[in-house]
Amino acid sequence: MRRCGAGPNGPERARYHFRAEPNGWESMFGGPAWTRAPDGQWYLHLFTPQQPDLNWTNTDVADDFDATLRFWLDRGFAGVRIDVAGGLAKDPDYAEVGEQPVHPHWDRPETAAIHRRWRDLLDSYGDRVAIGELWGTPDRIAERVGPGRLHQVFQFDWAVAPWESLRDTAAQAIEELGKAGALPTWVLGSHDLMRVATRYGPRRAKAKALVMFALPGAAWIYQGDELGMENVEVDNGDPGGRDGVRAPMPWHATGTNSTLLMYRKAIALRKRFIVGRPFEWLPERPGVLEFRRGDVACVLNTGQRPVTFPGRPLHHSGPLDGGLLPPDTAVWAELVTPRY
């Protein structure tokens, strides 16, 4: 902030958003999105006052970000995760929210040019990727991926979908991304969401993870979910806040073996049986999500009673009930003749 507040006419000011008077934009953390500098001008921060928003129309900002990317890519990094990838561009007139059909600071069309610049730089290094943290419906996400755009965007609608709506949510993502010639990018959680084991319960969290590893596209793990971690109580006593999901990972095996071993086996079997295999939805049954990847069926029981599943079990998220799949449990089954 020292450089950000250096002189009203200095070149540093042009790298941020300063105004003589604030508008009505609000911070994501509550309250005004503007803070007054000692000289009386106001600077924009869509998050905390310690995080002033950069002005991406300024060439110094774009050039400096290029240098930062090159610094890490030159050291062999495989790619970058772009935080708040849809919140870069701002309305040049700082219009109030609701005054125009396009939002003044979220997911603006000018953002595409910024992403394209990053993609060009990454492509110059060969096989490097940019993954965007960008909330939106699958059709909007599809507009942000592909050649000249981001490589992947996290599928947060899948992360927060109601248990009974997982099939429809996954199907919509696969369909919309498919129109753009891309595949979805699945996640169970993030540093901004309550732990998946807290939101769904440990049993459902494991089952959902097994389904995620079988779906077409990339699967990302938020650190600690593979251990079955749940939100922890923090100093303010609120386990549901952002801090409750950002607790340090435990460096011992107690209480983690079951989930961790399930993840490890799923990743190994994914490479062997899932990746590169054709995807096909199996006939719908009430309370069941099921599809096929080549010779493996993935079945999730979201209903209240045990259900049948085809084939021979390869891996499952919890104990099976004889030859049946209990509620809140997923299974990978190797299909044998006769198939569905």
Side-chain angles (χ1 to χ4, degrees):
M1 277 309 301
R2 182 174 298 175
R3 293 185 64 194
C4 177
N9 299 315
E12 295 87 355
R13 283 285 171 101
R15 299 170 188 165
Y16 303 90
H17 296 270
F18 274 86
R19 300 191 78 202
E21 296 291 337
N23 64 9
W25 294 359
E26 295 184 356
S27 166
M28 290 294 293
F29 296 147
W34 299 88
T35 290
R36 193 173 187 178
D39 59 20
Q41 288 195 332
W42 299 76
Y43 68 88
L44 174 67
H45 53 87
L46 292 179
F47 292 87
T48 72
Q50 295 78 22
Q51 296 173 300
D53 280 46
L54 291 168
N55 181 358
W56 283 92
T57 66
N58 183 279
T59 56
D60 286 349
V61 170
D63 291 344
D64 184 67
F65 197 82
D66 286 354
T68 300
L69 282 176
R70 292 185 184 280
F71 176 87
W72 295 110
L73 295 172
D74 287 343
R75 284 156 177 77
F77 274 55
V80 292
R81 171 195 174 276
I82 308 298
D83 195 56
V84 197
L88 304 170
K90 311 297 189 293
D91 182 90
D93 297 322
Y94 301 96
E96 297 290 351
V97 176
E99 287 185 351
Q100 298 179 356
V102 178
H103 197 282
H105 58 73
W106 288 127
D107 200 23
R108 292 187 58 82
E110 300 94 331
T111 303
I114 303 172
H115 292 175
R116 183 162 53 249
R117 177 168 175 155
W118 298 344
R119 178 61 182 260
D120 290 344
L121 192 155
L122 287 160
D123 286 349
S124 71
Y125 279 78
D127 191 16
R128 310 296 177 90
V129 297
I131 301 96
E133 183 210 31
L134 195 159
W135 286 79
T137 56
D139 59 318
R140 293 295 294 140
I141 289 176
E143 296 176 0
R144 294 294 185 227
V145 297
R149 304 173 182 178
L150 299 174
H151 294 82
Q152 298 178 4
V153 171
F154 292 128
Q155 234 36 77
F156 285 116
D157 53 342
W158 159 264
V160 300
W163 185 247
E164 296 76 13
S165 303
L166 290 179
R167 187 194 188 283
D168 291 343
T169 304
Q172 185 181 14
I174 293 169
E175 179 182 1
E176 293 296 335
L177 271 294
K179 294 176 183 177
L183 292 171
T185 301
W186 311 105
V187 291
L188 298 176
S190 79
H191 63 292
D192 289 323
L193 296 172
M194 292 180 67
R195 286 281 183 186
V196 61
T198 300
R199 284 183 285 119
Y200 288 99
R203 184 184 180 93
R204 288 184 172 183
K206 292 172 64 178
K208 189 178 181 184
L210 194 61
V211 173
M212 179 184 74
F213 286 128
L215 286 167
W220 288 82
I221 304 170
Y222 175 60
Q223 56 87 12
D225 284 349
E226 77 280 11
L227 303 180
M229 288 180 64
E230 300 187 44
N231 271 46
V232 300
E233 185 172 318
V234 292
D235 290 343
N236 62 12
D238 176 17
R242 284 158 51 101
D243 291 342
V245 75
R246 303 182 184 197
M249 291 178 63
W251 291 100
H252 55 77
T254 303
T256 67
N257 270 351
S258 177
T259 303
L260 181 59
L261 291 179
M262 191 213 76
Y263 268 68
R264 285 176 171 171
K265 183 176 180 180
I267 292 171
L269 291 175
R270 168 185 165 90
K271 295 176 181 177
R272 181 179 176 186
F273 291 102
I274 302 296
V275 175
R277 297 333 194 255
F279 172 87
E280 177 187 354
W281 288 110
L282 293 175
E284 285 194 62
R285 293 186 285 165
V288 181
L289 181 161
E290 52 189 331
F291 55 87
R292 189 170 82 187
R293 298 298 304 275
D295 292 328
V296 173
C298 176
V299 183
L300 170 67
N301 185 356
T302 62
Q304 302 298 317
R305 297 180 179 179
V307 298
T308 60
F309 60 89
R312 179 175 57 243
L314 278 176
H315 194 21
H316 36 91
S317 63
L320 301 179
D321 184 3
L324 299 177
L325 184 66
D328 301 336
T329 308
V331 64
W332 290 359
E334 189 172 15
L335 293 170
V336 293
T337 304
R339 296 180 178 177
Y340 269 29

